[in-house]
Amino acid sequence: MEDAYAKSVAEVLEAFGVDRTKGLTDTQVEQHARLYGKNVLPQEESTPFWKLVLKQFDDLLVKILIAAAVISFLLARMNGETGLSAFLEPSVIFMILAANAAVGVITETNAEKALEELRAYQADIATVLRNGCFSILPATELVPGDIVEVGVGCKVPADMRMVEMLSHQLRVDQAILTGESCSVAKELESTSAMNAVYQDKTNILFSGTVVVAGRARAVVIGVGSNTAMGSIRDAMLRTEDEATPLKKKLDEFGTFLAKVIAGICILVWVVNIGHFRDPSHGGFVRGAIHYFKVAVALAVAAIPEGLPAVVTTCLALGTKRMARLNAIVRSLPSVETLGCTTVICSDKTGTLTTNMMSVSKVCVVRSVHQRPMTDEYSISGTTFAPEGFIYDAGGLQLEFPPQSPSLLHLAMCSALCNESTLQFNPDKKCYEKIGESTEVALRVLVEKVGLPGFDSMPSALNMLTKHERASYCNRYWENQFRKISILEFSPDRKMMSVLCSRKQQEIMFSKGAPESIMARCTHILCNDDGSSVPLTMDIRNELEARFQSFAGKDTLRCLALALKRMPPGQQSISYADEANLTFIGLVGMLDPPREEVRDAIHSCMSAGIRVIVVTGDNKSTAESLCRQIGAFEHLDDFAGYSYTASEFEGLPPLERTNALQRMVLFSRVEPSHKKMLVEALQTHNEVVAMTGDGVNDAPALKKADIGIAMGSGTAVAKSASDMVLADDNFATIVAAVAEGRAIYNNTKQFIRYMISSNIGEVVCIFVAAVLGMPDTLIPVQLLWVNLVTDGLPATAIGFNKPDGNIMTVKPRKVNEAVVSGWLFFRYLVIGAYVGLATIAGFVWWFVYSENGPGLPYSELVNFDSCSARQTSYPCSIFEDRHPSTVSMTVLVVVEMFNALNNLSENQSLLVIHPWSNLWLVGSIILTMLLHVAVLYIEPLAALFSVSPLSWAEWKIVLYLSFPVILIDEVLKLFSRSPRGRRFPLRSQNASFGQKS
């Protein structure tokens, strides 16, 4: 029933054909079960494991690698190769692909847990009226029309319409749905609100919420998917995960690279068709197969096989650093998404605020004989911890607050007229509440006021253990007074009272809404001397003015406290006794903003990131918070910056677009609005981070580019998120953004490093094939270089120090290429040198080396006709392992020097010294040790078809390798100069990736 909130109780009962005194009959239950279904959230079919595995291979580069591995194996078998040599290259490729696929499968299975954990918020049992009798049944057996009774502590088993109140009031904690910091009072009357949101439906009990006060009966109006919890589930199912900006760019790069590889491979094969019949190949078919192997080697050379592993490793290292900042990353790719976040949609309660109601101001009457007649005190401390001080209007701290009569009686009343509990949790090492937040705030105020009696009281209290300190002062007053009778809060009176006895003296303490308490007061307690004097119209007007200031300008939640001396021996109180009260004071409380949030908001503004505060609370309360945290800095008029959900939905399309570009506050929202906001921002090319902690936030968290859940939040929110804040602190998000930007800059550096390496390998193989030289490098050598000798330094580049100005530049654009413009030209130049240096080492051994054959260059490029000509050298010389060893070593060493180039995008090595990243220095040393092991340990040397090098050969390797540093230094100099910045190819923003 969609509109039950707008119908009367009689209309709803009639719609389901149920008698409120008897409930449904067995026949009706069967009919309704067939008609409406079971009260369970349907099990969603999970993706089969084999489909998840296959999905990881649905990538063009991966398919090319698989094809290269299969072809390599088949060609090896056709050439008669057996054993390890035939299987080595394909096995290595498949191992890499399997590791990457495993990471992908684990990530995707985690995403499905959120739907499962949503079931935990369904009630297990319900007290149901059927056939005129109450019985306890499994909640899954409920059907629409059932009459259900709920009481304190009950989890609401289905969406239900209130039909009967069994206590003075019924209050429900529906924070998991709406994010409201306080429980909500429910009522029987129908609602006439247009476009009603959850907060407006005050006669509806929503499934999964918890009753915190009172008892009532309600009729079930929705079960299973047709509940508030069901709508959240459906929204999560409709939300598809978006690829991260880096993933999109890598996919685009992969597609581009695949096309280039295919083109070059075909070109090499076509260019060499004339050489297919060369005698050295032993026939046209064998010649075609030989150049096909060259094409395969080219494909292996061009694809950076180690790139996915290095990206994953770098992101994983980033997550460890983030964990130290209290940001726990659940999805690795989301780490770099933080770097280009343009909008943070932050939940108010618990993220920007402490989610711990605290008394911040107190107003008492000083004296009727002097002006101003009232005293105002401010109270420090923003959590449930009994730590804080009381300051007078001049800002001076009160050394002994209990010496002020009004504060002393305020503490008495707050301790006794209170049903909540404050306790210390040793496991979480924090103070926790049981009961209403407003009542716990009064408990904390009692502890801050302290006890009368002796001057050393404040320091004595600090000597107690935290467990004892939690409620020491409250227990003192509870032991001093004996509670005799209680009048519970009721919505019509808007107050509660408790009768207490102490030393044969009966006193009634009352607390409630200021307008209700003050209307019943005839006297006031003076703070100067503790006397009770009549409440005059002047005093009443001044108190009402203070109340309007507290509630209006300061948007504080206000309570008034009063007392009344009762006749000795009185054992009960009635509503009639709540008259002729003596006014004690007015307290103003709020869910205070976290102390560090204001600076964090300013950091976001400096970094070009917009913060939108999203809350289920009312507009005025939220606007007050935004003023306090600096979100409305320099704004006098909030029009156009602050919207309720219904106001935003009512805007015409053009005005809505303008509103999205200026919005700072989005209030009175429900779950669907949060997701709508994310989608609207994403259509305007914003990269959106959304925070949340409740079940209601899960769809929006899943839809956002990066969903951020609170550590204290629900399991559903955490499962739907990409990152969890262990300390629930907005400032942690800002620190994580800075880390995300640093990670992306370093990711760009090592991607460019690996690309320049692969360009060098392609140039080497392509030029050698075009010139008609023997194979300079074989596929297994290329794999070794790509995976090990490139992979280790690339991973270490991820430890480059972040820029000093990383949070003063605007977020990078989502469509910014990883390598583009002038940088692409730079890395083409470096790659071309790497390739030519590798070939030069190969040619040097054949033509100039003392240990080589000393061949003329013309003989080298015509090696394939050697067997058909008379030569002064054996043709077997072209199968010698020395020249390819020199080539491979040049390629490895030149890449080590190139890794040093990547300490910074534009800064010289004279400015950014190699020891600024000791991880990189260590990885270069380790890589060289591994390479030396391959050269000088025989089983490895045979496996990679290499041989040991002499000192003369090592010298030529160094001579050919070192110039790569000089070339890049010249290119960096050109980048730093004004002429370089005007270079037509340069489109990369120098702020990003630049190491200062």
Side-chain angles (χ1 to χ4, degrees):
M1 190 177 224
E2 295 290 332
D3 59 348
Y5 64 89
K7 295 183 181 296
S8 67
V9 171
E11 288 175 317
V12 175
L13 293 173
E14 185 182 348
F16 290 110
V18 60
D19 181 342
R20 78 162 77 179
T21 61
K22 295 182 179 178
L24 295 176
T25 64
D26 291 339
T27 306
Q28 285 177 307
V29 170
E30 288 178 15
Q31 289 173 348
H32 289 196
R34 284 195 301 270
L35 189 61
Y36 301 108
K38 280 194 165 189
N39 186 30
V40 290
L41 292 177
Q43 182 90 30
E44 188 62 27
E45 286 187 23
S46 58
T47 308
F49 181 76
W50 63 271
K51 280 191 178 180
L52 283 177
V53 173
L54 285 181
K55 185 180 175 183
Q56 311 310 314
F57 296 95
D58 188 18
D59 179 88
L60 199 53
L61 278 181
V62 170
K63 290 173 183 174
I64 290 175
L65 264 181
I66 292 172
V70 172
I71 292 168
S72 172
F73 175 70
L74 292 175
L75 292 177
R77 297 293 292 170
M78 288 170 67
N79 278 349
E81 293 180 30
T82 57
L84 186 61
S85 60
F87 283 99
L88 180 64
E89 186 184 325
S91 300
V92 172
I93 291 175
F94 280 121
M95 282 168 62
I96 298 162
L97 296 178
N100 288 330
V103 172
V105 169
I106 291 167
T107 302
E108 295 209 24
T109 49
N110 281 342
E112 294 187 356
K113 287 183 181 176
L115 291 171
E116 285 301 313
E117 285 168 344
L118 199 58
R119 298 172 189 276
Y121 291 88
Q122 292 180 290
D124 297 322
I125 56 172
T127 304
V128 189
L129 177 64
R130 287 182 182 173
N131 302 308
C133 297
F134 276 103
S135 56
I136 297 174
L137 298 175
T140 54
E141 294 183 14
L142 287 181
V143 296
D146 266 328
I147 303 293
V148 177
E149 186 170 306
V150 292
V152 176
C154 283
K155 191 179 286 183
V156 178
D159 279 9
M160 305 191 294
R161 166 68 160 89
M162 294 270 292
V163 296
E164 187 179 355
M165 195 79 77
L166 301 177
S167 59
H168 292 301
Q169 64 166 343
L170 184 82
R171 299 190 70 85
V172 177
D173 179 357
Q174 52 188 43
I176 63 165
L177 270 184
T178 62
E180 292 166 291
S181 51
C182 295
S183 60
V184 178
K186 295 296 179 178
E187 55 191 27
L188 299 177
E189 286 72 27
S190 58
T191 305
S192 57
M194 297 292 290
N195 301 319
V197 295
Y198 288 145
Q199 294 91 324
D200 297 324
K201 300 174 183 178
T202 52
N203 52 24
I204 302 293
L205 304 179
F206 297 105
S207 62
T209 59
V210 178
V211 178
V212 294
R215 283 176 60 231
R217 287 178 189 161
V219 59
V220 175
I221 57 171
V223 294
S225 296
N226 298 315
T227 61
M229 209 61 68
S231 64
I232 290 172
R233 170 191 169 276
D234 293 342
M236 289 174 69
L237 286 175
R238 288 193 300 268
T239 303
E240 294 183 5
D241 291 330
E242 292 283 328
T244 67
L246 180 62
K247 178 73 166 65
K248 289 175 183 175
K249 287 295 151 197
L250 289 178
D251 288 346
E252 289 171 14
F253 170 70
T255 304
F256 167 74
L257 192 60
K259 292 174 182 175
V260 171
I261 291 165
I264 293 176
C265 289
I266 292 169
L267 183 64
V268 166
W269 207 58
V270 170
V271 164
N272 285 285
I273 285 177
H275 295 285
F276 284 6
R277 296 184 184 278
D278 288 345
S280 62
H281 301 313
F284 182 88
V285 174
R286 286 192 172 274
I289 289 172
H290 171 78
Y291 285 103
F292 199 62
K293 285 180 72 176
V294 172
V296 169
L298 199 58
V300 172
I303 297 174
E305 293 90 348
L307 183 59
V310 173
V311 170
T312 301
T313 305
C314 183
L315 295 179
L317 292 171
T319 63
K320 288 190 73 174
R321 291 198 292 271
M322 283 181 161
R324 289 197 287 270
L325 299 172
N326 287 317
I328 299 156
V329 176
R330 297 185 65 257
S331 168
L332 279 184
S334 66
V335 173
E336 64 83 23
T337 309
L338 280 166
C340 58
T341 298
T342 58
V343 178
I344 298 175
C345 295
S346 177
D347 198 30
K348 178 184 78 72
T349 306
T351 308
L352 298 173
T353 67
T354 61
N355 196 21
M356 298 183 190
M357 196 68 78
S358 301
V359 174
S360 63
K361 286 188 178 181
V362 170
C363 175
V364 298
V365 176
R366 184 188 352 175
S367 171
V368 295
H369 304 299
Q370 48 186 301
R371 299 276 179 172
M373 288 184 282
T374 56
D375 271 337
E376 187 176 301
Y377 298 100
S378 58
I379 292 91
S380 66
T382 57
T383 67
F384 290 145
E387 300 157 3
F389 302 101
I390 299 174
Y391 300 88
D392 63 19
L396 295 175
Q397 181 186 329
L398 300 190
E399 277 196 75
F400 306 110
Q403 289 180 355
S404 302
S406 293
L407 289 179
L408 180 65
H409 285 82
L410 206 69
M412 280 185 213
C413 185
S414 298
L416 298 167
C417 209
N418 203 315
E419 298 295 312
S420 67
T421 303
L422 177 66
Q423 61 185 24
F424 182 74
N425 185 326
D427 297 326
K428 296 182 180 178
K429 296 182 179 177
C430 66
Y431 292 90
E432 291 181 335
K433 71 177 176 81
I434 299 175
E436 285 287 342
S437 296
T438 51
E439 293 200 330
V440 176
L442 293 176
R443 289 264 186 227
V444 177
L445 175 64
V446 174
E447 299 300 325
K448 291 175 181 176
V449 170
L451 299 175
F454 50 96
D455 293 344
S456 61
M457 176 53 69
S459 56
L461 287 173
N462 292 331
M463 295 172 67
L464 298 171
T465 66
K466 290 190 174 182
H467 178 71
E468 293 170 327
R469 182 69 188 89
S471 294
Y472 187 86
C473 299
N474 280 276
R475 281 197 299 271
Y476 172 84
W477 293 118
E478 287 170 347
N479 291 332
Q480 288 290 311
F481 289 87
R482 182 172 59 89
K483 287 187 183 181
I484 301 171
S485 178
I486 297 175
L487 279 179
E488 288 186 0
F489 178 92
S490 65
D492 54 335
R493 289 159 47 243
K494 294 184 180 175
M495 62 182 292
M496 74 168 287
S497 299
V498 56
L499 177 63
C500 300
S501 175
R502 181 193 187 205
K503 298 178 181 177
Q504 285 78 49
Q505 187 178 19
E506 276 65 46
I507 301 175
M508 181 179 74
F509 293 101
S510 300
K511 80 164 191 285
E515 63 271 21
S516 297
I517 294 289
M518 286 198 290
R520 291 170 166 81
C521 286
T522 56
H523 289 73
I524 52 105
L525 183 70
C526 291
N527 199 32
D528 273 1
D529 55 10
S531 63
S532 176
V533 299
L535 175 57
T536 65
M537 188 55 68
D538 283 349
I539 301 173
R540 189 181 295 275
N541 290 338
E542 186 160 340
L543 286 172
E544 286 184 356
R546 284 300 178 102
F547 167 49
Q548 294 305 325
S549 173
F550 278 18
K553 190 182 97 181
D554 299 327
T555 60
L556 300 178
R557 185 166 186 175
C558 296
L559 287 175
L561 295 93
L563 60 80
K564 181 181 180 181
R565 297 188 186 279
M566 305 298 287
Q570 185 163 335
Q571 295 298 303
S572 65
I573 50 176
S574 65
Y575 296 156
D577 292 314
E578 292 178 325
N580 301 318
L581 305 179
T582 298
F583 180 85
I584 302 174
L586 183 71
V587 297
M589 56 187 75
L590 79 165
D591 180 7
R594 292 177 180 270
E595 293 173 358
E596 57 277 8
V597 163
R598 191 179 185 88
D599 289 339
I601 294 278
H602 286 158
S603 295
C604 286
M605 290 175 176
S606 302
I609 300 169
R610 188 153 58 100
V611 177
I612 299 177
V613 179
V614 182
T615 178
D617 272 348
N618 64 63
K619 193 174 183 178
S620 60
T621 303
E623 284 178 347
S624 173
L625 174 87
C626 288
R627 269 196 303 269
Q628 293 175 59
I629 63 175
F632 281 152
E633 199 113 299
H634 312 307
L635 291 177
D636 296 322
D637 183 11
F638 304 154
Y641 296 92
S642 172
Y643 294 90
T644 64
S646 55
E647 286 171 352
F648 182 74
E649 284 186 308
L651 293 175
L654 183 60
E655 286 185 39
R656 189 181 289 197
T657 300
N658 293 334
L660 278 173
Q661 293 168 355
R662 303 173 64 195
M663 183 186 290
V664 175
L665 173 62
F666 196 40
S667 56
R668 213 70 182 153
V669 301
E670 61 179 40
S672 58
H673 295 134
K674 291 187 177 184
K675 188 182 174 191
M676 175 195 72
L677 177 64
V678 171
E679 289 171 341
L681 289 166
Q682 287 174 335
T683 58
H684 287 79
N685 298 318
E686 302 280 11
V687 179
V688 184
M690 169 66 82
T691 73
D693 57 358
V695 173
N696 61 315
D697 298 318
L701 290 174
K702 196 174 179 190
K703 178 63 183 171
D705 296 287
I706 175 160
I708 304 171
M710 302 299 108
S712 62
T714 60
V716 178
K718 291 176 189 174
S719 295
S721 68
D722 302 296
M723 189 171 90
V724 178
L725 298 185
D727 58 358
D728 293 9
N729 198 333
F730 180 82
T732 303
I733 302 175
V734 181
V737 167
E739 186 65 39
R741 289 184 173 191
I743 288 168
Y744 179 74
N745 286 352
N746 290 340
T747 302
K748 283 199 302 184
Q749 289 297 94
F750 71 64
I751 287 174
R752 290 166 183 161
Y753 164 70
M754 296 189 85
I755 288 170
S756 62
S757 170
N758 286 92
I759 289 172
E761 292 168 16
V762 169
V763 167
C764 170
I765 292 170
F766 182 74
V767 171
V770 170
L771 294 177
M773 290 184 184
D775 296 340
T776 50
L777 296 166
I778 60 175
V780 72
Q781 291 172 342
L782 290 170
L783 274 175
W784 172 256
V785 172
N786 284 353
L787 290 174
V788 181
T789 58
D790 282 355
L792 290 175
T795 303
I797 288 170
F799 288 95
N800 284 351
K801 290 181 179 178
D803 298 349
N805 66 337
I806 202 160
M807 285 301 283
T808 58
V809 295
K810 291 187 180 299
R812 76 177 193 274
K813 294 179 180 176
V814 181
N815 56 1
E816 176 190 293
V818 177
V819 179
S820 63
W822 162 245
L823 279 170
F824 185 61
F825 173 77
R826 270 176 57 180
Y827 287 96
L828 273 177
V829 172
I830 296 296
Y833 178 78
V834 170
L836 294 175
T838 305
I839 289 176
F842 188 82
V843 172
W844 172 84
W845 190 85
F846 275 107
V847 179
Y848 300 110
S849 174
E850 292 179 3
N851 298 326
L855 299 179
Y857 176 74
S858 57
E859 290 291 322
L860 180 61
V861 295
N862 289 300
F863 82 98
D864 47 7
S865 59
C866 174
S867 59
R869 292 182 289 113
Q870 277 296 110
T871 59
S872 59
Y873 55 86
C875 292
S876 60
I877 195 69
F878 296 112
E879 296 173 9
D880 195 301
R881 293 191 297 183
H882 266 89
S884 64
T885 305
V886 173
S887 288
M888 180 181 173
T889 305
V890 168
L891 183 59
V892 169
V893 175
V894 78
E895 282 307 319
M896 296 305 101
F897 285 125
N898 192 32
L900 293 175
N901 287 334
N902 282 276
L903 278 167
S904 167
E905 185 178 301
N906 293 320
Q907 289 293 346
S908 167
L909 278 171
L910 298 174
V911 177
I912 306 291
H913 303 294
W915 53 87
S916 67
N917 186 344
L918 293 177
W919 288 99
L920 180 59
V921 175
S923 70
I924 290 172
I925 294 170
L926 178 60
T927 299
M928 289 309 302
L929 289 174
L930 288 171
H931 185 68
V932 168
V934 165
L935 297 185
Y936 293 95
I937 297 175
E938 184 48 43
L940 292 174
L943 186 65
F944 289 97
S945 298
V946 292
S947 57
L949 296 182
S950 65
W951 172 237
E953 289 166 336
W954 272 108
K955 280 196 293 185
I956 200 67
V957 166
L958 292 171
Y959 289 152
L960 289 171
S961 302
F962 185 76
V964 76
I965 284 183
L966 303 178
I967 293 169
D968 202 46
E969 284 293 310
V970 172
L971 291 170
K972 285 181 179 180
L973 177 65
F974 193 70
S975 294
R976 293 192 299 271
S977 71
R979 286 182 60 195
R981 287 194 289 272
R982 290 197 299 270
F983 194 91
L985 281 174
R986 184 168 172 76
S987 63
Q988 183 79 15
N989 185 336
S991 299
F992 288 97
Q994 184 173 339
K995 304 290 161 207
S996 52

